[in-house]
Amino acid sequence: EPEVTQTPSHQVTQMGQEVILRCVPISNHLYFYWYRQILGQKVEFLVSFYNNEISEKSEIFDDQFSVERPDGSNFTLKIRSTKLEDSAMYFCASIAGEGNQPQHFGDGTRLSIL
Amino acid sequence: QQQVKQSPQSLIVQKGGIPIINCAYENTAFDYFPWYQQFPGKGPALLIAIRPDVSEKKEGRFTISFNKSAKQFSLHIMDSQPGDSATYFCAARQTGANNLFFGTGTRLTVIP
């Protein structure tokens, strides 16, 4: 069964540094998402991306965040200047199309800011 | 603002028991309600989902009950097994949108 893959599985970064989290969505999927899960808390929506542009974003997704689909397969989340509170699991998800399509999640990248 | 409220926070049942996890929402624009199962170190995996035009949906040992007037829905796990021990999240999606609003999660432990 096709999977969403995320790399790295764990990223340790000094506060203030830039970090890029990478995702390879399922190949025929059209909509892409990033979610965040702070340890022990619920999964929170960050941003959705369709047709090479952001379609929705949450209040969490401020100017420090950006997303990109640099080629036909990768989908990246960049945090420009990391803060301690950015420490969390970051999940990428994708769906094939609109409607009640299930979101398929990757196994996440654990981001630790020191 | 908490879009989806979930309870209990944790639940312990004996093998064979029927854990029930409850969720409530306020936004009447929600039209799709999935449940996700998450094991430690893994991403959420879709378990079962329901739309508000039906009151119940069963898939294997998992059942969603939906009460549209009360704006509540719940997950029942029949004949629970130790392998069902995981965190369960309810979620909701608004008409015309694709992002999900998750509940706070329920950590289920099934004791052998």
Side-chain angles (χ1 to χ4, degrees), chain B residues 44-112:
Chain B
L46 179 67
L47 201 56
I48 185 173
I50 197 168
R51 293 203 61 175
D53 51 354
V54 298
S55 60
E56 186 177 275
K57 184 174 181 180
K58 287 184 181 180
E59 284 185 8
R61 295 184 294 108
F62 301 94
T63 299
I64 301 178
S65 298
F66 191 89
N67 186 330
K68 187 175 180 178
S69 60
K71 296 201 283 281
Q72 295 174 348
F73 58 110
S74 59
L75 176 71
H76 302 233
I77 305 175
M78 306 300 177
D79 187 27
S80 58
Q81 301 296 314
D84 296 329
S85 297
T87 298
Y88 292 81
F89 291 94
C90 62
R93 188 173 65 199
Q94 193 166 312
T95 306
N98 278 316
N99 59 296
L100 294 171
F101 293 95
F102 281 83
T104 48
T106 297
R107 178 173 290 187
L108 172 66
T109 303
V110 181
I111 300 170

Side-chain angles (χ1 to χ4, degrees), chain A residues 35-69:
Chain A
Y35 289 83
R36 169 181 92 173
Q37 185 179 31
I38 295 172
L39 184 64
Q41 298 186 26
K42 66 179 178 181
V43 178
E44 298 175 290
F45 168 71
L46 292 178
V47 66
S48 61
F49 192 85
Y50 171 70
N51 200 25
N52 284 321
E53 61 183 25
I54 291 173
S55 49
E56 294 174 69
K57 60 182 181 178
S58 73
E59 293 175 354
I60 303 168
F61 194 87
D62 62 22
D63 292 343
Q64 295 298 315
F65 291 88
S66 62
V67 290
E68 196 176 37
R69 190 156 160 82

Side-chain angles (χ1 to χ4, degrees), chain A residues 31 33 35 37 40-45 48 56 89 91 95 97-108 110, chain B residues 1-4 9 31-32 36 38 41-46 51 89 93 96-105:
Chain A
Y31 293 80
Y33 306 84
Y35 289 83
Q37 185 179 31
Q41 298 186 26
K42 66 179 178 181
V43 178
E44 298 175 290
F45 168 71
S48 61
E56 294 174 69
M89 285 290 291
F91 292 105
I95 62 172
E98 287 189 277
N100 296 331
Q101 301 281 339
Q103 290 197 12
H104 296 263
F105 283 78
D107 285 340
R110 178 175 299 281
Chain B
Q1 181 189 4
Q2 196 170 354
Q3 296 267 11
V4 181
Q9 192 172 20
D31 68 349
Y32 175 70
Y36 281 82
Q38 185 181 31
K42 294 291 188 179
L46 179 67
R51 293 203 61 175
F89 291 94
R93 188 173 65 199
N98 278 316
N99 59 296
L100 294 171
F101 293 95
F102 281 83
T104 48

